[in-house]
Every structure is written in C-alpha cells, then in structure tokens.
C-alpha cells in the first residue's frame, strides 16, 4: 500500500466493455497502472477509483489476481460512476488500493466452492470462480449459480456462456420468460432450491440484492449449510477506505478494512443486523 | 512517537517547579516567538472556544471547559488532503510545531484515544504530521462543571496526561513536566524547585477526589438492550443536529469531498453519525435510516463497540449534555439502560 493512503495511483483505462445497457447500465473497465507494474491483491478486495473533481467510489476488483488485468464493473448510480461511464479508452483515473479483507481462499483449499450471485453482485464472485478455475487442483467442485432480471441484465454473459460450453457447472436464471432462453426462469434462491447443492465440505458465497441474499440464506440453511460455511460481501457507504472516516462502520468493524468479506457466523454475532 | 507523549508512567523523573508570574500567558508568548502554532481558549461573550491565537492577550483562562474540544489542533474541522488540477498538484502537510495551551484532563485523554484511532492500522499521515509536533500544556481543574464525569473513566482532572501541567494552588503557580518535550519546554523558563511544604500542598491537591456526576456502564445490559424500545424513547426529541458529535473530543468521523471541477481541492471535514446522509448508500439503501438508530449507534459506539479496542470512547467532558437542544443526557441514558 502507498505511503500516503489517501493519495491514489495513476491508472489508465485500457478497455471498456458494455455489460448491461439501458437505464441502469453497467460497464467493465480494464485498467492499467501507469507508474508501476501492478499491485498484489486477493479476490474480494476492492479499490477506490478516484476522479478529481468528482470524488471516489469503491469497487470490488472484478477479476482474479491470477489474471493479468485489473477490472472494475461499474453500475452507473452517482457522480463518480456517471463520469466513469463517459470516459474513453486512454483516459486517466486514480486508484487507491487494494483495500479490505479478501475471501479466505487459502483456508478453503480442498473444499467445494459454490457461488450464488444476483445482478451486479456477481462481481466479487467472478474474482472467486476465476481463481478457483485457475487453481482447480486446489479445490473440489465449482458451482456457479447466477441470475438477473432479464438475459440483458446478466453481467459477464459471454464469459459465462463460454464456461457452460467448456463444461463448467454454471446455472443461469432470469426472472421472467424470454423467447430462446434455455436456462432456468425464476428467482435465484429458487434456482438454488432446485439444484440442491450439497452442503458437505462446501463453502457458499452469496452476493446480490439484500432481499435475494436473505432468502438464499434461508434456502442454504435448509440444505444444511452452517453459518460459518456461508460468506458474503457487505456494501456500505465508503469514503476513506482505510478504517478512519467511520462511514462504513458496523459495530466495531470497518467494512472497508475488516470487510467487505464476512462470514454469516461473524455477521450474526453482531448486534446491528444487516 | 506515541511514547514520548503518552507514557508518563514510564518516566520516573518529573519536573516539579514553581513559577513566579503569569505562566500560561508567558508560555503562549514563548511558543509564538519560537514559531509554534498555538491553540488556546478565547473568550467570546460568556463562553470560550479553542482557537488559534496570535498573541497571549487573545487567550483567556477563566473557564471550566471551552465549548469546543482541543482536538481541532490535531484534527481540524476541515483540511485539504490533495490539491489537484488534471492530476495531483500538491499534497499539503503541516510543517509547523503545534501547541495547545489550556487543555484539560478530559481533552488530553481524548487525544490519546484519537491517537489509537488515527495511528493504528493504516497511519493517517495528516493526523500524524500534527500529532508528532504537538506540545500540550494542561491546566488542572479546581472545580468540575455541572455535567463533568471524567472521574468515571479513571481520569484525574487534577493530573492531566500532558507534556506540561499547570496548577494554581494556594495562590502559587506549579508547573510540572511529564515528558522530554515538556522538560525541554520548561527549560525556557525561570523556575525554582518546589519546597517540601509546597510539594505536600500539590500532592494533596492532586489526590483530592472532586464531587461530580458519575456514569454507570453495564456492558452486559447494553448488549441485551440493543433491540429495546428504550432507544426510541431516548431519541424522541433528538434533532439529528449532530451537536453532540461535533463537540465531542473523541468523535472522529469525517467526510471527504472534492471542491472544484477542473482545478480544486480534495477536502476532509468532520461528519456526524447523526446525519441521515452519513450512511446513505448509492443504492439508496440506508442501514441507519431512523434517527433513533443513529442515536443508538452513538451510544453503542462509545460504550460497546469501542471496547474491542479496549477503551470507552468517552472522557466525561459533559459537552454533549450541556449543548444538546433536546436535553439528551448521556449519563442518564447509559446509566438507565433497560
Ligand atoms: S442527541 Fe442532541 S445534540 Fe445529538 S443529534 Fe440529537 S439533538 Fe443533536
Ligand atoms: S460523549 Fe459527551 S461526555 Fe463523552 S466525551 Fe463525548 S462530548 Fe464528552
Ligand atoms: S470508508 Fe472510511 S472507515 Fe471505511
């Protein structure tokens, strides 16, 4: 981490992919650090992307450290993200990071990995499944369950279709029927119920809208998952990213520094409920 | 750097001296002459505020506690983190040495708590640049204020944790140094050692317990009462104004924002957990949307969550009681948890 943790590194946008169009667009930005090669990070960690004059915004790094790129998937919501969506390849931004506590992927060696995602919540999960795919000898079975409102709202669509072709265990869903859709129609937790993943020796990581997470949690418990087998990432308003400004605090934890990754065992021991 | 300021217990020598003259004013003049930035209480009508002073005359020491806390010397209400145009132009840092003259035991303890927050884990370089150049000249309390309860936290208002401590006892001026920096500073003055009788006088003064309010903290009960309707009752008249957090010497929350589109400054400024925007997320979800949740957060923050670090984040200064427009009284709220 940099000397002055408030000062960003300079980075250049080297590729932009449209993931989702429409009123709530999502773009994935591939970035390259300008003054240094790259930094070491782990799946689950995030960065604050900085645009002087607009501010900073937190994004979980969207790809695994085993891949060469640094990617962020950005849903257009506020000042910083709106500006990012206007930017072009070659433009400069600032990056502060890597920040936060990653997924304990080393502790999960030898276990089955189950990711359950909804919408843009797939971002941190992508950093996991890419990692597990790249280190497949270290892990058991990989199961990817992912859904969105419609097929046009699926982030990393092409990549996921390709994984299906290659024989990976990927289960996609959309909320409502669409002509030509070959996969499950319904909500993500219902898809989990249908697939009935085995709880034994499995870690489940679920990220997505709060309501999806809530129901998924119940489904997982019915399937025999214990709270310490289930992980998620928390979303909080973040400013400093280093546990100083107090914005992201929940109980005595700073989500930016002690999270964003938490196990349900940790979350349920807190007084303040998510 | 913390040791030079915070470990008075490790220092076996203490300089105990008597000064003939107006020590506090002379201290300010001396510090100013040597280029220090000096923060001292300034009288404004019927109250005092800690402010930067440019002359000893501006300061006035006829108070129990200034309305704001001395934390402004190390953690100003706002400060520039980065000056930018298309990219970073400048990163300003505090270069000057800083002194607080007239700090009391509660605020001095609060700075130790801020140290824990800003210097542990990631070091906050802006805080550090001030803190390591800070000299504290404290005043002991003769009488407590009506809402003081510092003794509840083991703070001795007659023995502040500071580099230099000033006391007025029996018409005499006692000055003690508790750190190398304090000792160096006192070497600037004409002092004489205290006599035996004076030493006794001072020790008795230091040992005396003051008659003041007391807070009863029952952590187990706090844990059980988190979901209690008590917090809604407590917050009924809260205005979410944030006065309590702004005046609090241990509150450290801040916001960061950019001012200026093409050219400007990235600023950090105090923020308050009592404001609904504090935790509002871009997805429009707000984990503490209700004012009672925010007020409850403040109390749990100080007396429950902070315990993981080993301290209560309250020093019993009573400011939040004195100035809450809704009369919310932290001593009765915490002592009466149910
Ligand atoms: S407790 Fe009092 S001082 Fe604090 S926000 Fe509420 S009304 Fe304002
Ligand atoms: S909580 Fe209130 S009494 Fe305690 S230190 Fe802060 S302002 Fe003073
Ligand atoms: S974002 Fe500042 S404490 Fe987490």
């Amino acid at each position: 981490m940099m000397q002055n943790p408030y000062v960003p590194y300079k980075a250049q946008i080297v590729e932009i992919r449209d993931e989702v169009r429409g009123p709530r667009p999502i773009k994935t930005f591939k970035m390259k650090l300008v003054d240094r090669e790259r930094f070491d990070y782990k799946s689950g960690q995030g960065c604050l992307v900085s645009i002087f004059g607009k501010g900073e915004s937190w994004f979980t790094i969207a790809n695994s450290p085993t891949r060469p790129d640094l990617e962020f998937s950005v849903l257009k919501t506020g000042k910083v993200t709106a500006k990012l969506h206007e930017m072009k390849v070659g433009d400069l931004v600032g990056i502060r990071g890597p920040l936060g506590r990653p997924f304990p992927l080393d502790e999960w060696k030898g276990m089955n990995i189950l990711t359950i995602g909804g919408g843009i919540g797939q971002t941190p999960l992508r950093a996991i499944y890419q990692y597990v795919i790249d280190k497949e000898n270290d892990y058991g079975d990989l199961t990817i369950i992912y859904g969105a409102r419609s097929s046009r709202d699926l982030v990393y669509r092409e990549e996921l279709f390709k994984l299906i072709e290659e024989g990976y265990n990927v289960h996609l869903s959309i909320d409502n029927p669409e002509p030509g859709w070959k996969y499950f129609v319904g909500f993500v937790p219902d898809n989990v119920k249908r697939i009935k993943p085995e709880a034994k020796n499995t870690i489940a990581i679920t990220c997505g809208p709060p309501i999806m997470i809530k129901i998924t949690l119940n489904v997982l418990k019915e399937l025999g998952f214990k709270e310490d087998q289930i992980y998620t990432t928390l979303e909080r308003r973040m400013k400093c990213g280093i546990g100083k400004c107090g914005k992201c605090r929940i109980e005595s934890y700073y989500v930016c520094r002690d999270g964003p990754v938490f196990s349900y065992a940790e979350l349920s021991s807190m007084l303040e409920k998510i | 750097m913390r040791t030079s300021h915070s470990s008075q217990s490790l220092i076996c020598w203490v300089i105990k001296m008597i000064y003939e003259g107006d020590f506090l004013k002379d201290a300010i003049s001396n510090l100013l002459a040597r280029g220090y930035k000096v923060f001292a209480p300034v009288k404004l009508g019927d109250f005092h505020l800690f402010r930067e002073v440019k002359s000893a005359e501006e300061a006035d020491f006829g108070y129990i506690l200034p309305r704001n806390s001395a934390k402004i010397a190390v953690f100003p209400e706002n400060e520039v983190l980065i000056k930018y145009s298309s990219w970073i132009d400048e990163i300003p840092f505090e270069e000057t040495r800083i002194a607080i003259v007239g700090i009391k035991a509660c605020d001095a303890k609060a700075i130790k708590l801020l140290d824990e927050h800003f210097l542990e884990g990631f070091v906050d370089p802006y805080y550090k640049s001030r803190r390591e150049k800070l000299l504290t000249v404290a005043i002991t309390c003769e009488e407590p204020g009506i809402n003081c309860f510092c003794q509840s936290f083991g703070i001795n208002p007659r023995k502040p944790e500071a580099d230099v401590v000033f006391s007025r006892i029996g018409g005499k001026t006692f000055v003690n140094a508790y750190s190398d920096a304090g000792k160096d500073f006192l070497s600037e003055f004409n002092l004489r050692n205290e006599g035996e009788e004076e030493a006794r006088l001072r020790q008795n003064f230091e040992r005396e317990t003051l008659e003041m309010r007391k807070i009863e903290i029952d952590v187990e009960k706090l844990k059980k009462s988190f979901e209690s309707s008590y917090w809604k009752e407590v917050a009924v008249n809260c205005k979410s104004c944030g006065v309590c957090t702004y005046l609090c010497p241990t509150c450290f929350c801040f916001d960061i924002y950019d001012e200026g589109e093409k050219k400007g400054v990235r600023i950090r400024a105090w923020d308050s957990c009592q404001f609904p925007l504090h935790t509002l997320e871009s997805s429009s979800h707000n984990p503490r949307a209700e004012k009672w949740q925010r007020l409850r957060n403040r109390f749990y923050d100080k007396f429950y969550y902070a315990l993981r670090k080993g301290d209560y984040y309250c020093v019993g200064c009573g400011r939040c009681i004195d100035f809450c427009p809704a009369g919310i009284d932290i001593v009765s709220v915490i002592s009466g948890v149910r």
Side-chain angles (χ1 to χ4, degrees), chain A residues 48 237-249 254-257, chain B residues 254:
Chain A
L48 282 153
R237 189 172 160 84
M238 302 212 205
K239 282 284 175 161
C240 72
I242 54 171
K244 302 297 176 206
C245 77
K247 294 253 176 215
C248 67
R249 185 141 176 197
Y254 295 97
V255 173
C256 65
R257 186 193 69 190
Chain B
F254 59 86

Side-chain angles (χ1 to χ4, degrees), chain A residues 2-247:
Chain A
M2 43 269 166
Q3 266 280 297
N4 179 337
Y6 294 96
V7 176
Y9 298 130
K10 202 188 256 182
Q12 190 172 37
I13 300 175
V14 292
E15 196 186 308
I16 302 173
R17 265 197 327 269
D18 280 303
E19 299 281 359
V20 175
R21 293 169 203 268
R24 287 168 58 78
I26 300 172
K27 288 184 184 187
T28 296
F29 296 84
K30 192 184 282 187
M31 306 211 185
K32 201 167 145 340
L33 297 178
V34 173
D35 302 320
R36 57 200 331 262
E37 202 40 44
R38 60 175 288 154
F39 49 60
D40 288 323
Y41 68 91
K42 295 197 157 127
S43 302
Q45 288 190 295
C47 290
L48 282 153
V49 173
S50 191
I51 299 175
F52 288 111
K54 299 289 179 196
E56 298 183 299
S57 231
W58 167 285
F59 305 101
T60 309
I61 302 171
N63 58 320
S64 156
T66 49
R67 309 274 165 117
D69 318 313
L70 190 58
E71 293 189 349
F72 303 100
S73 295
V74 178
L75 168 70
K76 188 171 157 186
T77 49
K79 260 202 289 190
V80 177
T81 53
K83 179 74 197 176
L84 264 171
H85 271 242
E86 286 169 15
M87 291 179 115
K88 306 263 174 302
V89 169
D91 285 350
L92 294 176
V93 297
I95 289 186
R96 294 203 282 129
L99 303 166
R101 181 178 66 157
F103 292 108
L105 273 155
D106 284 335
E107 285 170 31
W108 297 346
K109 279 188 180 158
M111 308 189 76
N112 304 320
I113 304 295
L114 164 66
T115 69
I116 305 170
I120 183 108
Q122 185 70 349
T123 298
L125 302 176
R126 180 173 182 249
I128 295 180
Y129 70 67
Q130 288 186 342
Y131 187 86
V132 173
I133 288 173
D134 292 346
K135 306 225 172 206
E136 60 184 355
N137 294 334
D138 289 346
Y139 296 92
D141 294 340
L142 171 68
T143 307
I144 300 168
I145 301 177
Y146 176 47
R149 230 171 310 182
S150 75
S151 63
R152 286 176 310 278
D153 293 304
L154 290 167
V155 191
Y156 319 121
R157 213 168 16 229
E158 304 310 323
E159 180 175 297
L160 290 163
F161 288 144
K162 202 161 152 261
L163 287 176
I164 294 177
E165 268 171 39
E166 289 169 9
Y168 284 95
N169 212 354
V170 181
H171 305 273
L172 300 178
S173 66
I174 54 175
D175 293 354
N176 298 303
E178 277 175 33
W181 178 254
K182 291 188 289 206
Y183 310 101
F184 184 70
V185 175
F187 297 124
V188 171
D190 294 324
N191 206 12
V192 180
K193 227 187 242 169
R194 187 182 65 90
I195 296 159
K196 288 199 187 35
E198 173 85 59
K200 205 173 149 245
N201 200 34
T202 301
I203 294 289
I205 313 99
T206 173
C207 302
I211 179 76
M212 181 213 99
I213 293 191
K214 213 171 156 185
I215 304 172
T216 302
L217 203 58
N218 291 334
V219 173
L220 287 173
K221 283 187 182 159
E222 278 165 29
L223 289 167
F225 282 82
K226 301 272 171 303
E227 287 191 336
D228 58 0
Q229 285 175 274
I230 310 173
Y231 283 75
T232 190
T233 58
L234 290 188
E235 234 193 89
R236 285 274 150 146
R237 189 172 160 84
M238 302 212 205
K239 282 284 175 161
C240 72
I242 54 171
K244 302 297 176 206
C245 77
K247 294 253 176 215

Side-chain angles (χ1 to χ4, degrees), chain B residues 241-265:
Chain B
C241 65
V243 158
C244 46
T245 56
Y246 278 91
L247 297 180
C248 180
T250 73
C251 277
F252 49 71
C253 285
F254 59 86
D255 193 15
I256 302 179
Y257 54 91
D258 288 1
E259 245 173 44
E261 188 83 6
K262 295 265 179 291
K263 189 176 169 60
V265 282

Side-chain angles (χ1 to χ4, degrees), chain B residues 235 237-245 272 274-275 295 298-299 320 323-328:
Chain B
N237 292 320
C238 176
K239 316 283 182 273
S240 289
C241 65
V243 158
C244 46
T245 56
S272 171
Q274 301 310 299
F275 298 157
L295 192 63
R298 179 173 151 249
F299 293 121
C320 61
F323 299 106
C324 173
I328 295 167

